[in-house]
Amino acid sequence: MKIHLIAGARPNFMKIAPLYRHLSTQPDFDVKIVHTGQHYDTSMSDYFFADLTLPTPHYHLGTNTGTQAEQTGAVLVKYERLCQDDRPDMSIVVGDVNSTLACALTAAKLSIPVAHLESGLRSGDRTMPEEINRIVTDQLSDLLWTHSPEADDNLRREGIDPRKIDRVGNAMIDTLVHLLPKIRGLAVHERLGFSPQTYLAVTFHRPANVDDDAAFSRIVDQVESLSSDYPVVWPVHPRAMKALERIERIAELRRNPGVQLIDPLGYLDFMSLVHGSRLVLTDSGGIQEETSYLGIPCLTVRPNTERPITLTHGTNELVSPANIISRVEARLLEPSRSMNRIPAWDGRAAERIVESLRNFRDSRNLS
Ligand code: UD1
């Protein structure tokens, strides 16, 4: 079975890694990695391929600039060309980035079966580009791999045939489980001059936070306030860097002895930073899951989450920009929460995915 495993942006790489590791050792699968080029900086892409021991992508579509429409359109055109030259029996897309939607749409129109990993997540907020990408990708997919019961419910509510849904668990947690021994040994905080559990790790990149100058200024104000009591380490995403330059806060943050602004980190270094932190302040999707697995308190600066299981079973909490300081202080005083292990977030999702693919292939008579 010829498979294209598609990744375009930073959070995709951790999800394809365990699939590639498992599929590439099976004689009945011929798997090729397609990198769309949505993320192209060394720190946003190359470091991840090295850390995750992924090979150089078999195909690189090199689509890296422009508005979301230009980005999506460029991937549509280039992925169609690739499918015409080297047609797969299935395209596997992951997550919710623009590349996910573009490749799912191309494949579906060429009648190539589509499997979607991390299917069924919904924030209920259609102002997020990712929410549109999720809804459309799920509608186009033939096989929908989910990681939680809520995701299955969301799909059924949208009229997806339940026979297409397979709850395989969390592939990103596979990567974390696989690399945790290495992550534990790294102690990135020591390189930065901190003892473990003394600093806050901060990340922001969502358009709703960083592209809104007033909202982002309010967030930066609160991070600066917190930094007088708790040191802050902030690996800055390119979108957030552009915003900090636009609102002219870079120089002041760099002068602040309580804040370390650093470049985006590779996977191992970033997870080590999180692992050693006292608390994480973020608007990321994936970090809500990783902190929940690790038992690190996480405050997510968003009005909603597509990952409610991290609120009920994990360490995650949603906060508004106005409440950041009070909630950080409250969480730092709380004893650590007792953790409910989330079913199927166990490091074995990729094994279940291989089985699911075989069942699909046999039911469709794909070679
Ligand atoms: C994208 C995803 C988001 C994911 C995030 C992780 C969509 C809609 N959003 O958001 O779901 O959580 O990736 O990082 O797909 N840039 C660089 N270097 C890079 C990559 C991007 O400078 O390697 C610049 C781009 O030119 C652009 C900005 O950063 O100006 C944002 O990049 P983009 O890919 O549009 O979206 P992200 O905000 O990274």
Side-chain angles (χ1 to χ4, degrees), residues 9-11 38-41 44 64 71 96-99 129-130 133 205-207 237-239 242:
R10 187 169 64 173
Q38 180 173 343
H39 283 175
Y40 48 91
D41 286 346
M44 298 295 284
N64 60 14
Q71 197 176 67
D96 56 17
V97 303
N98 292 330
S99 302
E130 295 85 354
N133 295 342
H205 76 277
R206 293 263 163 231
H237 183 283
R239 183 186 281 276
K242 285 181 191 165

Side-chain angles (χ1 to χ4, degrees), residues 182-222:
K182 252 192 198 166
I183 290 164
R184 285 210 178 95
L186 271 175
V188 159
H189 52 267
E190 281 175 11
R191 261 193 282 167
L192 296 166
F194 297 115
S195 311
Q197 268 78 55
T198 57
Y199 60 91
L200 313 182
V202 170
T203 81
F204 285 99
H205 76 277
R206 293 263 163 231
N209 285 330
V210 308
D211 292 355
D212 174 336
D213 289 0
F216 199 37
S217 296
R218 209 162 42 240
I219 289 171
V220 174
D221 289 344
Q222 304 222 21

